[in-house]
Amino acid sequence: MDLNVKGRTALVCASTAGLGEAIARSLAAEGANVVITGRRGEVAASIAAELPSAIGVGVDLLTDDGPAQAVRAALDAFGKVDILVLNGPGPKAASALDVTTADIDSAVATLVRPQHKLVSMLIDGMRERGWGRILYVGATTVIEPLPALALANIGRDALAGYLKTLATQVAPDGVTVNLLLPGLFRTERRDQMEVAKAQRSGKTPEEIREEEAADIPMRRYGDAREFGALGAFLCSDLASYVTGTAIRADGGFVHSL
C-alpha cells in the first residue's frame, strides 16, 4: 500500500526512541523527509543517518525556545513541514488529592504549551498548501483516566480538547488532526518501568511483564512497529477523511468502545 507521503516532510517530536522513533521510521520507509528530535542530539543524528532523507535535531521541546528551534531546523533542511507528530513525556504520578497549583502549572507546561507552540508555528503553512497532518501520541488515559496519574489526566485531556476543537476549524483546509492512544508496547521505557516495579515488589521483570500482559485481551504487549505503521497511515494521504478522532492501539485493554 502506497501511503503517498513521498516528498512530504514530517517533524516527529521525541523520536529518538520508542513509539516516536517507530512512527518516524515508518514515515521514512514511505519516502517522507523526517526530522528526528530529542534531547539526545547524538542519538537523533545517528537515527537520521540510517534513514533515506532525514536530519537529527538535538532539542529540548520543554524549553522556551525548543519548539522554535525544532521548526527552524526543519524549515532550513526541507523548506516546509507537512506532518507534525506531537509526542513527549508526561508529568509525575500523583493522585487528585495531592495535586497542587504548581503541579497543574507544570502539567500544562509539559503537555500543552510546547505542543500549542509547534502547532501555531506550522498550521498556517499547512492550511495555505491545502494539506497537513497533526497527530498527537497521547495515552489511553485520555479515554479511561488512571487514579494515580491525575496530572497526566489534566494535561493530556486539555491538549486533546484543544486539538479536537482545532480539527473542526482546519478540516475545510485539508488539514487533519487526530489522537493516537497507545496501550502497553515493548519499548526501552517499558523495560525500565518493569525493572523498577520488580525491585519494589521483589518480583522479576519477567513476572511483572506476564502479570501486565495478562490484563490485555491479546495477552501480549504491542510491537512498536505496529504502532509506527498505524501512525504513518494516519499521517498519510489515504487517511484524508479521518479527523478529530482518538484511535486506540491497546490490544483491547480499554473497556469502553
Side-chain angles (χ1 to χ4, degrees):
M1 183 180 291
D2 183 0
L3 297 186
N4 197 24
V5 294
K6 186 175 182 179
R8 302 285 188 189
T9 296
L11 170 56
V12 186
C13 300
S15 47
T16 54
L19 302 181
E21 180 184 353
I23 292 176
R25 288 186 179 276
S26 290
L27 287 168
E30 292 291 330
N33 308 313
V34 176
V35 181
I36 303 291
T37 68
R39 285 175 289 186
R40 300 176 296 172
E42 70 285 355
V43 177
S46 177
I47 293 172
E50 299 173 7
L51 304 178
S53 179
I55 62 169
V57 183
V59 61
D60 184 350
L61 294 173
L62 299 185
T63 62
D64 289 341
D65 191 51
Q69 182 182 344
V71 169
R72 284 196 301 267
L75 296 180
D76 288 345
F78 300 113
K80 61 175 182 173
V81 173
D82 305 291
I83 298 166
L84 172 61
V85 179
L86 300 170
N87 183 36
K92 67 181 182 180
S95 74
L97 294 174
D98 297 327
V99 168
T100 67
T101 300
D103 287 335
I104 293 176
D105 290 342
S106 177
V108 171
T110 300
L111 290 170
V112 181
R113 287 198 189 111
Q115 293 80 359
H116 176 262
K117 286 182 180 179
L118 287 163
V119 170
S120 296
M121 286 184 281
L122 296 172
I123 193 66
D124 287 345
M126 293 180 182
R127 297 176 71 191
E128 289 168 4
R129 292 188 296 274
W131 198 98
R133 300 288 182 267
I134 297 174
L135 181 66
Y136 170 47
V137 179
T140 55
T141 54
V142 171
I143 302 295
E144 194 170 89
L146 292 177
L149 298 179
L151 292 174
N153 297 338
I154 291 168
R156 292 192 191 281
D157 281 12
L159 181 58
Y162 162 66
L163 293 175
K164 173 62 176 178
T165 306
L166 178 69
T168 63
Q169 296 176 330
V170 299
D173 305 309
V175 180
T176 69
V177 185
N178 290 294
L179 281 64
L180 182 51
L181 310 179
L184 297 182
F185 279 81
R186 176 91 276 128
T187 63
E188 180 182 340
R189 175 59 178 159
R190 175 55 53 184
D191 291 342
Q192 293 170 349
M193 293 173 67
E194 287 171 358
V195 170
K197 192 171 182 179
Q199 291 173 342
R200 293 194 302 268
S201 65
K203 300 178 181 179
T204 66
E206 291 74 19
E207 289 172 327
I208 297 298
R209 187 176 306 127
E210 290 177 1
E211 289 177 357
E212 294 189 342
D215 292 330
I216 303 170
M218 286 191 173
R219 299 297 188 269
R220 67 174 178 88
Y221 287 2
D223 186 301
R225 291 171 295 183
E226 295 172 305
F227 191 84
L230 180 55
F233 172 76
L234 291 172
C235 293
S236 77
D237 208 37
L238 301 185
S240 58
Y241 203 57
V242 181
T243 195
T245 191
I247 296 177
R248 299 195 306 272
D250 65 353
F253 179 75
V254 172
H255 297 151
S256 64
L257 288 173

